[in-house]
Amino acid sequence: MVAGLTVSERQLALLVLGLLASGGLAMAAAGRGDPLGAHGFIVLIISVALAFLVLSRYHDPEPSQERLSEYYDDPTRVGIVLAMIWAVIGMFFGVWVSALLAWPELTFVDQAWASFGRIRPVHTSGVIFGFGGNALIATSFHVLQRTTRARLPDQFSPWFVLIGYNLFCIVAASGYLMGVTQSKEYAEPEWYADFWLVIVWVVYFAIYIRTLMRRKEPHIYVANWYYMAFILVVAVLHIVNNLALPISAGSAKSYTIWPGVQDAMVQWWYGHNAVAFFLTAGFLGMMYYYLPKRAERPIFSYRLSIISFWGITFMYMWAGSHHLHYTALPQWVQTLGMTFSVMLLVPSWASAGNALATLNGAWHKVRDDATLRFMMVAAVFYGLSTFEGSFMAIRAVNSLSHYTDWTVAHVHAGALGWVAMITFGSFYALVPWMWKQERMYSPKLVEVHFWLALSGTIIYVFAMWNAGIIQGLMWRTYNDSGTLAYSFIESMVAMHPYYIARTVGGLFFLAGAVVGFYNIIMTIRMARRGAAAPDSASDVPAVAVQPGE
Amino acid sequence: MPRFHRKLERSAIGFVLAIIGVSAIGGFVEIAPLFTIDETVEKVPDMRVYTPLELAGRNIYVREGCYACHSQMIRTLRDEVERYGPYSLAVESQYDRPMLWGSKRTGPDLARVGGKYSDAWHVAHLNNPRDVVPESIMPRYGWLLGNTLRTDDLGASLSAQQMLGVPYTDAMIANAAADAYGQAAPDSGQSSGVGERYGEATNVRAFDGDPGRLTEMDALVAYLQVLGKLTDAAQKQATEANPETAPQVEED
């Protein structure tokens, strides 16, 4: 880690860590008696520990000039491991919160931090930002260098992004346990964490654009379009939705500048596009690189890539208001949201179809190779959940599905089936390349992970579909005398068996992630013991040339 | 199209600008008019702001993540109106930062829960939901009764909200901590100011049953009891639209 930095970069690292430590100290001093102060101490401890790490290796020899003719992959390697750690943490909390809905006394401790409302965002942020975000950062650095044939611009800034991002995740997750939250869904972290993320994100964008400017390929490869859209649009969404006024410099508490109905619109413009640009665009970038590479097939259609990319970039931004059907949001906005959500099916299926058609001629590999099968199943779930999303955005359907567990089913079809599966598939392809091995430590365990993940997802999603539809129907059922047939509590009691089934599905998925983490760690250990496999001939995937060009 | 796109793909900056331009349109068209079209939020003269105690309770509701299981948005659907009351109006969350409309009903909607249950019921229910609703899966919040409410930052809270446009007066900000105390201690000297500043209809009671101590339970129950009660606009609209079946406006 430190050995890869030049002396001037080590000095820069110490300077930045010094600034960060002073920032932590200032927070600790200003926020005495407030959770802000506790966060100040966390920041201080982490930055001092990292400074010691840099100092202890400060006099190591500098990396040789030859490094400039190679790609810089250390941040990717560390990012993969961090992503898997967050996967296990985030999914563990997911299983725990799901168990609390079946058995509410399962808090173990009757403490505030262990209550459902505080640990649920640890699950959502842990898997979305911890697991998903680290996976995106790690793979984006890898894909960016391979598809531009240019090395990252320097050795310091990728570490700044990776470690700075994880600092954000740690502050966010520990904050929820202390009760620090804006209660804005998927944007819970408070103002100072949000501010820090903006700094990290600017550096991330700078790495991307600086590398692209130095590319040796004339064209920017399609995976990079998606990674760029992810970085740019998430920045805009994050800044606009989190504009807030802290009540004082020494308090973690802030109030959003957006009031009531406008806040609802901004929040779901953010919320739905966090799905679009964090959980879709970024992972499509992953898919457009690792799937054709693993299948050793060119992308099926360049035209479809263009249509789906610009369709997604344009239309998703209109779709957020479908979260607010029949609410106090003006109806014209609801109708716009519904319309664009339905149209979104076209670019979404163009992407899913493009991925599946790329596998033509490689289906025997899908049968034999669990890694490629992960990616294939991910593309299928992407197609299914985008169809379901467009369907649920229709007002009449939404009147039944909204507020019920059907939403939870939909989210997890996307999150488990698409996001997590494409990540695991990409990691299983990437890890042997990164640690210069012929294959993973155990291809059998990849197979085990695949079946655990797939069965877990199916159990989970079917349980929640049933739960949601039953719930929605019970709420609107009338008896013969024209009054509501069921009390709310009756609908809640009816959920119990499905909540248990969901916990079982989640446990399967968590078990798979643990198996995957073990397999990756063992592959790394295998690499440390044994010899390296030769590099593959070309890292750049082929793109089909259209007739007439 | 592919030919034009091949050109665009050769320029990193061009591609970045294209992404920003194409993605900016939707949000702009949907959000900006919400501030300029007058009908977006109904004009209601009797809409009042949260008292400092209610706001503190709201902050606890935010802190504990209650929105993950409880919505505060009754949709314009027959079964929702019959189950929870008149559908929610935009004006009712006019001063809500953030809005807490929610997206999931693991538990029931709370937009009009104010006044439906007694203070004692809420205290017992929050202490252990299964004591009053045996099938409930809600967490216990017993520690709220033990936690003294923090009031030293309430002035700063009101002041920040004032800066953002919530009509808190300077007198409300200056007396924030005293008003929080007075609202939960009806026989104390501080209680009279609450009615003067926030209206005589404001609930002034020992919400947690103990007027001697101001707890987080006081604040949360005060907040829950005012949900749906900040204005009569929704009830009035329902009565005008359908005088026979609409619920009567409560006189309190």
Side-chain angles (χ1 to χ4, degrees):
Chain A
M1 197 168 172
V2 183
L5 304 182
T6 63
V7 168
S8 61
E9 284 174 332
R10 289 172 203 176
Q11 289 163 349
L12 181 61
L14 286 174
L15 178 70
V16 170
L17 288 169
L19 287 172
L20 196 59
S22 341
L25 198 61
M27 280 164 68
R32 265 168 307 162
D34 192 274
L36 181 78
H39 272 151
F41 277 111
I42 291 177
V43 172
L44 182 65
I45 291 167
I46 292 177
S47 42
V48 168
L50 287 168
F52 269 107
L53 181 73
V54 175
L55 278 173
S56 69
R57 313 291 295 276
Y58 188 80
H59 292 293
D60 279 14
E62 274 200 276
S64 71
Q65 279 306 106
E66 282 167 32
R67 74 174 192 277
L68 296 178
S69 61
E70 292 166 4
Y71 297 129
Y72 189 48
D73 288 330
D74 286 351
T76 300
R77 293 189 187 100
V78 174
I80 292 169
V81 175
L82 286 171
M84 291 307 295
I85 292 172
W86 278 107
V88 173
I89 295 172
M91 290 172 198
F92 166 77
F93 273 93
V95 172
W96 187 8
V97 287
S98 80
L100 282 175
L101 291 180
W103 304 284
E105 296 294 340
L106 213 65
T107 47
F108 304 114
V109 285
D110 193 22
Q111 296 280 323
W113 68 265
S115 68
F116 180 91
R118 293 203 190 180
I119 60 176
R120 183 214 180 231
V122 178
H123 161 59
T124 53
S125 287
V127 290
I128 298 172
F129 298 117
F131 170 50
N134 274 300
L136 286 171
I137 293 173
T139 56
S140 70
F141 287 157
H142 174 254
V143 171
L144 174 64
Q145 296 182 93
R146 276 18 180 230
T147 53
T148 57
R149 289 197 288 127
R151 184 184 159 92
L152 294 178
D154 66 320
Q155 284 83 223
F156 170 73
S157 57
W159 289 114
F160 178 82
V161 171
L162 186 68
I163 295 171
Y165 182 76
N166 280 278
L167 181 63
F168 164 78
C169 293
I170 290 169
V171 168
S174 59
Y176 305 150
L177 298 178
M178 293 189 282
V180 180
T181 168
Q182 300 192 84
S183 272
K184 282 170 86 82
E185 230 170 327
Y186 316 115
E188 290 92 350
E190 270 291 357
W191 59 276
Y192 48 99
D194 292 334
F195 182 73
W196 172 247
L197 186 63
V198 172
I199 298 174
V200 170
W201 220 249
V202 168
V203 178
Y204 189 19
F205 175 67
I207 293 176
Y208 231 82
I209 201 79
R210 283 163 73 202
T211 310
L212 282 175
M213 304 290 265
R214 290 164 39 256
R215 72 186 182 279
K216 298 189 187 77
E217 289 282 331
H219 293 277
I220 301 172
Y221 181 63
V222 52
N224 289 321
W225 312 348
Y226 281 105
Y227 280 121
M228 274 202 296
F230 148 62
I231 296 169
L232 287 165
V233 181
V234 165
V236 174
L237 296 166
H238 172 75
I239 291 170
V240 173
N241 188 41
N242 285 305
L243 288 172
L245 184 65
I247 65 168
S248 79
S251 172
K253 179 73 189 166
S254 70
Y255 292 106
T256 174
I257 71 157
W258 309 105
V261 61
Q262 289 95 350
D263 184 40
M265 183 60 229
V266 171
Q267 163 58 29
W268 285 113
W269 167 78
Y270 165 88
H272 196 71
N273 288 295
V275 175
F277 289 90
F278 206 97
L279 298 177
T280 302
F283 291 88
L284 281 171
M286 221 182 255
M287 184 188 80
Y288 268 108
Y289 181 83
Y290 295 102
L291 185 137
K293 277 292 294 174
R294 186 76 182 189
E296 296 175 303
R297 301 281 309 157
I299 291 286
F300 168 71
S301 164
Y302 172 64
R303 254 173 234 265
L304 274 182
S305 311
I306 298 175
I307 292 169
S308 56
F309 176 76
W310 291 106
I312 283 172
T313 306
F314 177 64
M315 288 196 261
Y316 250 114
M317 299 300 266
W318 298 74
S321 50
H322 71 222
H323 288 254
L324 299 165
H325 280 323
Y326 300 100
T327 68
L329 182 77
Q331 190 165 355
W332 65 268
V333 198
Q334 301 177 20
T335 307
L336 269 180
M338 173 173 83
T339 311
F340 277 88
S341 305
V342 172
M343 293 196 294
L344 257 173
L345 190 60
V346 174
S348 301
W349 274 27
S351 284
N354 208 5
L356 292 175
T358 299
L359 293 170
N360 269 344
W363 288 105
H364 61 288
K365 289 184 189 163
V366 176
R367 183 192 60 206
D368 297 337
D369 178 13
T371 302
L372 194 56
R373 215 179 310 126
F374 259 118
M375 300 191 215
M376 186 277 285
V377 169
V380 171
F381 268 102
Y382 177 67
L384 287 176
S385 55
T386 48
F387 172 78
E388 189 186 22
S390 295
F391 182 60
M392 290 168 79
I394 299 169
R395 284 169 64 89
V397 181
N398 196 267
S399 74
L400 179 75
S401 75
H402 194 54
Y403 293 136
T404 74
D405 281 302
W406 189 353
T407 311
V408 182
H410 170 59
V411 168
H412 284 80
L416 304 178
W418 155 240
V419 173
M421 296 253 199
I422 192 70
T423 305
F424 291 136
S426 302
F427 276 7
Y428 285 132
L430 178 58
V431 164
W433 296 338
M434 284 288 93
W435 276 276
K436 304 201 179 352
Q437 299 299 306
E438 298 266 6
R439 53 171 180 79
M440 289 296 297
Y441 163 73
S442 165
K444 261 223 178 74
L445 285 181
V446 179
E447 196 73 47
V448 170
H449 183 185
F450 173 79
W451 288 109
L452 279 172
L454 183 60
S455 51
T457 305
I458 288 173
I459 294 170
Y460 190 112
V461 172
F462 272 89
M464 289 293 97
W465 272 337
N466 278 306
I469 291 170
I470 289 173
Q471 212 171 19
L473 291 175
M474 284 178 87
W475 290 348
R476 57 162 61 173
T477 301
Y478 282 83
N479 53 31
D480 292 339
S481 56
T483 53
L484 292 166
Y486 299 102
S487 67
F488 186 89
I489 197 77
E490 284 170 319
S491 75
M492 204 206 72
V493 170
M495 297 300 104
H496 187 65
Y498 302 108
Y499 285 174
I500 294 174
R502 180 252 300 270
T503 303
V504 172
L507 258 179
F508 274 47
F509 205 87
L510 169 66
V514 171
V515 169
F517 187 37
Y518 171 78
N519 205 357
I520 288 171
I521 294 297
M522 293 309 285
T523 310
I524 297 171
R525 289 185 58 177
M526 193 167 83
R528 291 204 172 140
R529 278 198 310 266
D535 269 343
S536 54
S538 164
D539 285 322
V540 186
V543 178
V545 177
Q546 295 293 315
E549 278 191 54
Chain B
M1 181 185 66
R3 191 158 304 154
F4 167 74
H5 206 269
R6 297 296 286 177
K7 249 185 231 163
L8 183 64
E9 280 167 38
R10 298 173 81 100
S11 159
I13 298 292
F15 214 97
V16 165
L17 293 177
I19 289 173
I20 293 175
V22 167
S23 65
I25 303 166
F28 187 77
V29 172
E30 291 187 350
I31 295 168
L34 297 180
F35 288 94
T36 57
I37 298 176
D38 284 341
E39 295 90 74
T40 302
V41 180
E42 304 82 359
K43 297 276 175 295
V44 174
D46 73 340
M47 176 71 193
R48 81 155 166 88
V49 294
Y50 294 107
T51 65
L53 187 65
E54 292 154 7
L55 185 66
R58 191 172 202 276
N59 288 345
I60 292 167
Y61 187 103
V62 164
R63 183 185 78 190
E64 301 304 336
C66 306
Y67 76 103
C69 294
H70 294 284
S71 58
Q72 290 186 21
M73 173 47 64
I74 301 164
R75 295 181 293 170
T76 53
L77 298 168
R78 178 184 161 195
D79 60 290
E80 299 220 347
V81 170
E82 290 185 8
R83 191 181 295 280
Y84 300 114
Y87 60 81
S88 300
L89 302 180
V91 66
E92 293 179 277
S93 41
Q94 185 180 17
Y95 302 134
D96 287 3
R97 294 164 192 271
M99 59 85 205
L100 294 170
W101 295 7
S103 60
K104 178 72 174 54
R105 284 183 188 148
T106 304
D109 187 276
L110 300 180
R112 307 212 181 281
V113 79
K116 273 196 184 159
Y117 302 90
S118 68
D119 294 344
W121 186 91
H122 276 298
V123 172
H125 180 253
L126 285 163
N127 186 54
N128 182 2
R130 280 157 291 288
D131 284 348
V132 284
V133 184
E135 308 90 340
S136 173
I137 55 171
M138 189 171 118
R140 304 162 181 245
Y141 289 97
W143 71 85
L144 294 175
L145 211 45
N147 287 1
T148 304
L149 182 73
R150 188 177 165 185
T151 53
D152 61 328
D153 58 356
L154 282 176
S157 261
L158 263 58
S159 163
Q161 297 239 345
Q162 187 195 44
M163 279 179 73
L164 292 169
V166 181
Y168 282 113
T169 63
D170 292 343
M172 288 172 172
I173 294 169
N175 293 291
D179 285 348
Y181 183 79
Q183 195 180 351
D187 297 327
S188 70
Q190 283 114 315
S191 63
S192 58
V194 180
E196 282 166 32
R197 278 181 280 276
Y198 296 92
E200 292 307 324
T202 308
N203 299 323
V204 178
R205 304 194 290 258
F207 294 95
D208 69 356
D210 176 6
R213 214 170 136 237
L214 185 62
T215 62
E216 294 189 337
M217 185 68 89
D218 278 313
L220 186 56
V221 174
Y223 172 63
L224 293 172
Q225 292 292 30
V226 83
L227 282 175
K229 298 271 178 189
L230 292 172
T231 167
D232 285 337
Q235 280 89 352
K236 276 190 190 141
Q237 183 177 307
T239 316
E240 280 162 24
N242 205 345
E244 276 161 35
T245 57
Q248 292 300 304
V249 178
E250 286 171 53
E251 303 292 337
D252 56 1

